[in-house]
Amino acid sequence: MSGTTPKTVTITLDGTNRKLTVPLMAGTAGADVFDIRKMYNALGVFTYDPGYGATASCESKITYIDGDVGVLQYRGYPIEQLADSSNFLEVCYLLLNGELPNAKQSAEFNKGVMHHTMLHEQIRQFYNGFRRDAHPMAVMCGVVGALSAFYHDSLDINDPESRRISAFRLIAKVPTIAAWAYKYTIGQPFMYPRNDLTYAENFLYMFNAVPTEDYKINPVLSRAMDLIMILHADHEQNASTSTVRLAGSTGANPFACIAAGIASLWGPAHGGANEAVLKMLSDIGHVDNIPEFLSDVKDKGNHTKLMGFGHRVYKNYDPRAKIIQQACHDVLKELGIKGDPLLDLAMELEKIALNDPYFVERKLYPNVDFYSGIILKAMGFPVSMFTALFAVSRTVGWISQWQELIEDPEQRIGRPRQIYTGAAERAYVAVDKRG
Ligand code: SDX
């Protein structure tokens, strides 16, 4: 932008007397916005922004991203500091309430969440309806959506207490639902949650433990799990969060909205990328095959993407990728894994891509998904569980954004328009008169 910061934006339709002047709205940080809500009435035209790359859908106080310099902040706190010093339930409190909790608030919040981790016994029956080889994300979509059939006491979205209890229930139950989805696929008994463990410890326990023997918590792995959950907790108005907001704008109950978010996250362009990265790395197989793979990527006709690279907002390194890369090394060291061929391959792929003009010109850098799959695989998670873990972590972000939407007096039902380029009006033709 030029030197002085403009205070208004004026749009005129050439050749007409129609014009619209609106104030520029400035946020705490990041791009200013201009309010186009009066545009259609004033000018008779819509804006056109497929993929919403230049559109602010809402005002939010939750997460700030500066994609040009690679900044991510939850309620103003840099992700690096939260990763270093916080824990996932504290980050949940921060995202939901806007401030870090004091010791009393933290204890009450943690108790509230950890005492909602069990599922209604009838919900166990839902799992039997799935094939054993069902993808965990299919199970997550189904079972989370079904929660609305069990909690009629907290479906009133206009009641703050209902919203609060739904938030607790969703944050508390998604790990149980995800861990049971895994146990079901391997035919092992479901492990009930344990309220004496931390959130991350409890998830690892439900995922790994069996009734026949004690389960020993590995503090390095539970710390890594907690860190991965912090890094995935929220990320501004990404596709799945926008899905949750759009569903929430109709008045749908929070369980249905979060199920919609899970479905949206599943796509390989979004949360499904961590699973796709592992498949990509195993398809490449060896560092010697990297040049051929990258030439496939550059040949658009192949529709081959360098999965785990690129981002709609980050045109610099995704700060989460850097943190996860370090955690990868810590976990592999703890597990005594001297050289992980996938990690070695990923690091060589990253090095080559970051020096390749094709990727440099397009500002394509590793995103959170590039390394997350490697650390999850090293921790013993099957590839099919990677996106389910993303959903477990992102549930607090979705519910925080949903809560902000419901409490925002300016929010209305989301209803985008279009530019119509189909057939002009024409008369019906009887079948015996058609060509
Ligand atoms: C997540 O939005 C969020 O915040 C999401 C997320 C979150 O926490 O919620 O951060 C999580 O979803 C991370 C992204 C995970 N997805 C992947 O890693 C899949 C691979 N990435 C691409 O599919 C892609 O980069 C997207 C979907 C992430 C972004 O798509 P855009 O915004 O449409 O890409 P772009 O406009 O920046 O692309 C610019 C150019 C294009 O080429 P040209 O037309 O200019 O020639 O770069 C190309 C794109 O074709 N490009 C890629 C590429 N990503 C973009 N080419 C090869 N490989 C890629 N990965």
Side-chain angles (χ1 to χ4, degrees):
M1 300 295 277
S2 60
T4 55
T5 308
K7 293 285 178 256
T8 60
V9 171
T10 299
I11 301 170
T12 55
L13 281 192
D14 291 346
T16 76
N17 61 354
R18 281 182 285 172
K19 78 175 188 175
L20 172 71
T21 298
V22 293
L24 260 182
M25 296 159 66
T28 313
D32 295 346
V33 299
F34 66 92
D35 184 339
I36 58 163
R37 282 176 287 187
K38 296 191 174 72
M39 178 180 280
Y40 182 62
N41 290 341
L43 304 179
V45 296
F46 295 137
T47 59
Y48 181 62
D49 184 19
Y52 309 115
T55 296
S57 62
C58 63
E59 176 181 345
S60 180
K61 302 179 186 327
I62 298 173
T63 292
Y64 173 66
I65 300 172
D66 182 332
D68 294 328
V69 293
V71 163
L72 168 59
Q73 296 166 357
Y74 294 160
R75 300 286 190 176
Y77 293 98
I79 192 68
E80 294 81 2
Q81 294 179 29
L82 293 170
D84 273 346
S85 314
S86 188
N87 62 69
F88 182 65
L89 280 188
E90 183 176 78
V91 166
C92 288
Y93 184 98
L94 173 66
L95 289 170
L96 284 164
N97 298 293
E99 299 296 336
L100 288 167
N102 61 33
K104 182 171 177 293
Q105 290 163 331
S106 193
E108 281 172 7
F109 181 80
N110 292 5
K111 185 164 177 261
V113 171
M114 295 311 289
H115 282 75
H116 281 86
T117 51
M118 283 210 301
L119 291 170
H120 191 293
E121 278 298 302
Q122 290 300 105
I123 289 183
R124 291 174 65 104
Q125 313 310 325
F126 278 79
Y127 287 82
N128 297 331
F130 290 100
R131 286 172 39 144
R132 289 282 178 179
D133 62 353
H135 194 289
M137 285 298 278
V139 177
M140 293 281 289
C141 286
V143 176
V144 171
L147 291 179
S148 42
F150 287 80
Y151 296 115
H152 298 284
D153 63 335
S154 67
L155 297 183
D156 177 2
I157 62 166
N158 297 308
D159 169 28
E161 183 53 18
S162 287
R163 295 201 295 269
R164 192 186 68 83
I165 188 74
S166 295
F168 271 125
R169 281 174 166 154
L170 281 156
I171 295 165
K173 296 179 193 305
V174 281
T176 311
I177 292 169
W180 286 12
Y182 169 65
K183 287 292 192 185
Y184 182 73
T185 60
I186 58 173
Q188 281 189 359
F190 294 164
M191 298 304 290
Y192 283 95
R194 277 181 46 188
N195 299 346
D196 61 317
L197 300 177
T198 68
Y199 191 91
E201 289 170 347
N202 180 46
F203 178 71
L204 291 176
Y205 167 77
M206 292 189 291
F207 185 85
N208 293 303
V210 287
T212 48
E213 53 194 56
D214 288 344
Y215 175 74
K216 192 172 175 330
I217 298 287
N218 177 321
V220 173
L221 297 189
S222 50
R223 170 66 191 130
M225 190 75 256
D226 194 83
L227 172 65
I228 289 167
M229 289 173 163
I230 289 173
L231 296 176
H232 288 79
D234 192 54
H235 211 240
E236 202 214 66
Q237 304 311 318
N238 58 83
S240 53
T241 296
S242 299
T243 302
V244 170
R245 277 182 171 261
L246 202 52
S249 75
T250 72
N253 73 71
F255 305 101
C257 293
I258 299 306
I262 293 171
S264 175
L265 184 74
W266 195 357
H270 189 14
N274 50 22
E275 183 175 341
V277 166
L278 262 289
K279 185 179 178 314
M280 173 187 74
L281 293 172
S282 52
D283 289 349
I284 294 172
H286 189 277
V287 288
D288 295 346
N289 303 329
I290 289 177
E292 184 189 350
F293 172 75
L294 291 181
S295 60
D296 279 354
V297 169
K298 296 171 194 173
D299 176 355
K300 292 288 177 91
N302 291 325
H303 304 292
T304 303
K305 293 275 188 195
L306 176 52
M307 300 310 281
F309 260 67
H311 198 278
R312 175 59 58 78
V313 176
Y314 289 124
K315 300 308 172 190
N316 200 319
Y317 227 98
D318 180 337
R320 301 168 296 178
K322 280 185 186 159
I323 297 168
I324 284 197
Q325 189 192 47
Q326 181 50 52
C328 246
H329 291 294
D330 300 343
V331 164
L332 292 171
K333 187 163 160 248
E334 166 62 21
L335 296 174
I337 299 174
K338 292 280 171 281
D340 180 324
L342 282 179
L343 180 58
D344 297 342
L345 180 57
M347 290 176 71
E348 184 61 20
L349 178 57
E350 175 191 0
K351 196 168 76 179
I352 295 172
L354 290 180
N355 290 291
D356 184 316
Y358 180 89
F359 301 98
V360 173
E361 284 155 17
R362 290 166 174 82
K363 297 184 177 179
L364 302 179
Y365 291 86
N367 59 52
V368 66
D369 293 299
F370 190 67
Y371 284 106
S372 59
I374 296 166
I375 191 173
L376 292 172
K377 183 173 178 297
M379 292 172 73
F381 292 105
V383 176
S384 62
M385 274 299 291
F386 291 2
T387 310
L389 288 175
F390 195 151
V392 167
S393 312
R394 184 54 58 88
T395 293
V396 62
W398 289 330
I399 204 77
S400 301
Q401 298 270 352
W402 170 81
Q403 198 169 256
E404 185 176 64
L405 163 95
I406 301 297
E407 292 165 3
D408 181 351
E410 295 224 315
Q411 278 298 324
R412 307 155 62 205
I413 187 168
R415 206 309 189 180
R417 300 302 305 272
Q418 64 177 15
I419 178 171
Y420 176 69
T421 56
E425 184 176 335
R426 50 187 170 166
Y428 181 79
V429 179
V431 66
D432 56 359
K433 298 274 187 305
R434 294 172 201 161

